[in-house]
Amino acid sequence: MAGIKALLTLSFGAAVGLMFLTLGCALPVYNKYWPLFVLFFYILCPIPYCISQRVADNLDGGSSACKELAVFLTTGIVVSAFGLPVILARAEAIAWGACALVLTGNTVIFATILGFFVVFGSNDDFSW
Amino acid sequence: MSGFLDSIRCGDCECSAVDWGERRNTMASIAAGVLFFTGWWIIIDAAVKYPQQESFNHAYHACGVIATVAFLMINAVSNGQVRGDSYSEGCMGQTGARVWLFIGFMLAFGSLIASMWILFGGFVVPQKPVVYPGIAVFFQNAFIFFGGLVFKFGRTEDLWQ
């Protein structure tokens, strides 16, 4: 069991990341809730990798076309989560300060999700 | 003279500590993903900044769509199927795989050339006041093209089971 400490660190990371996202929306000087759309990308992000771990039986830790496709799609989701706030700021729907806060929150959240998979994901039978 | 760069070493960095063999496919997939999706976000940015037909003719989006179709076609067939040494024949066999790949690459090169044409013929030569949409179309297609190349050739099939 990877330990309570890891779980604690990861949940703290998630809380800090969501805090940055919320600040980027809810601070009175910004007060625009468009950046909440990146939550969609946060939720989508682990899905391709989880599907590929279920579908392609992981033989001896070797790679497979399915896993690589999952990595490709996950990278795309991460890039999109960074691109959306920048586009919103360029379109002047949100302020650049809000964009910076959301990008910081993105970085922390994706580091947390990555940390979750590194710490908890390397089971042989990845089952719910 | 021809060998004068042979003795230059790139610095024995810790990159050799990473098992490049096993990680190569993952790294190539990540790089391809970054390139491909950055290309699409560039065009989304241009479409958001210049929504009018006069500054950014909406027909120019077709170029990126064809580039994406080409990306999917190129990466749908494995190199093993084209060489003829994979276990499963696929729907059309080796010749079919080769024709598919040929058409895929033709579409990819075609969309790259078309994006340059759009930039120069549609924006630079007519001296449009705003050239950014043309540059965005060009970079979108260039990124998608190179993303496709990296995804196709950056991975090695030796690592597949």
Side-chain angles (χ1 to χ4, degrees):
Chain A
M1 172 62 178
I4 299 293
K5 257 197 341 198
L7 199 62
L8 214 62
T9 316
L10 289 174
S11 53
F12 179 70
V16 166
L18 289 174
M19 179 200 78
F20 276 117
L21 176 62
T22 316
L23 280 179
C25 298
L27 280 177
V29 61
Y30 302 133
N31 203 26
K32 291 268 166 50
Y33 286 84
W34 292 115
L36 288 182
F37 276 109
V38 299
L39 286 172
F40 177 67
F41 293 119
Y42 294 168
I43 294 175
L44 276 188
C45 168
I47 293 178
Y49 190 70
C50 290
I51 293 179
S52 85
Q53 280 207 316
R54 293 288 213 111
V55 166
D57 295 312
N58 207 2
L59 311 166
D60 302 326
S63 196
S64 77
C66 192
K67 261 180 78 170
E68 287 155 19
L69 179 63
V71 168
F72 175 80
L73 291 176
T74 308
T75 313
I77 293 169
V78 170
V79 167
S80 301
F82 281 97
L84 180 65
V86 172
I87 303 261
L88 286 173
R90 293 233 325 143
E92 275 144 47
I94 65 175
W96 280 103
C99 171
L101 281 170
V102 175
L103 292 180
T104 311
N106 279 357
T107 315
V108 175
I109 292 272
F110 285 126
T112 303
I113 294 178
L114 180 66
F116 179 84
F117 276 104
V118 163
V119 171
F120 293 109
S122 46
N123 306 335
D124 288 322
D125 51 337
F126 191 78
S127 62
W128 288 106
Chain B
M1 169 81 175
S2 57
F4 76 106
L5 285 176
D6 285 353
S7 56
I8 294 180
R9 305 191 149 275
C10 272
D12 296 315
C13 62
E14 280 303 300
C15 288
S16 49
V18 172
D19 197 354
W20 265 117
E22 288 201 4
R23 299 293 221 178
R24 176 185 160 171
N25 282 12
T26 312
M27 291 292 120
S29 306
I30 293 175
V34 169
L35 284 170
F36 180 84
F37 284 95
T38 305
W40 272 105
W41 279 98
I42 289 175
I43 203 70
I44 291 174
D45 178 65
V48 163
K49 288 288 278 186
Y50 300 102
Q52 313 86 1
Q53 176 85 344
E54 299 78 37
S55 38
F56 183 15
N57 192 338
H58 299 157
Y60 295 150
H61 284 291
C63 200
V65 172
I66 300 288
T68 303
V69 168
F71 175 98
L72 295 173
M73 283 181 75
I74 291 170
N75 286 298
V77 296
S78 63
N79 289 329
Q81 280 176 318
V82 172
R83 278 196 304 263
D85 57 19
S86 77
Y87 291 116
S88 63
E89 271 273 296
C91 308
M92 301 172 290
Q94 186 185 357
T95 314
R98 286 178 172 167
V99 169
W100 183 266
L101 198 63
F102 175 77
I103 295 176
F105 273 117
M106 245 176 42
L107 290 177
F109 283 117
S111 59
L112 186 64
I113 293 169
S115 70
M116 293 184 207
W117 193 336
I118 288 172
L119 169 61
F120 288 106
F123 289 88
V124 172
V125 168
Q127 289 177 332
K128 291 215 138 181
V130 187
V131 188
Y132 175 65
I135 297 177
V137 169
F138 170 66
F139 274 111
Q140 174 206 16
N141 285 278
F143 277 28
I144 293 176
F145 177 76
F146 287 113
L149 284 191
V150 168
F151 202 56
K152 178 98 192 123
F153 297 115
R155 304 180 294 155
T156 170
E157 294 176 15
D158 297 332
L159 292 178
W160 293 356
Q161 253 69 22

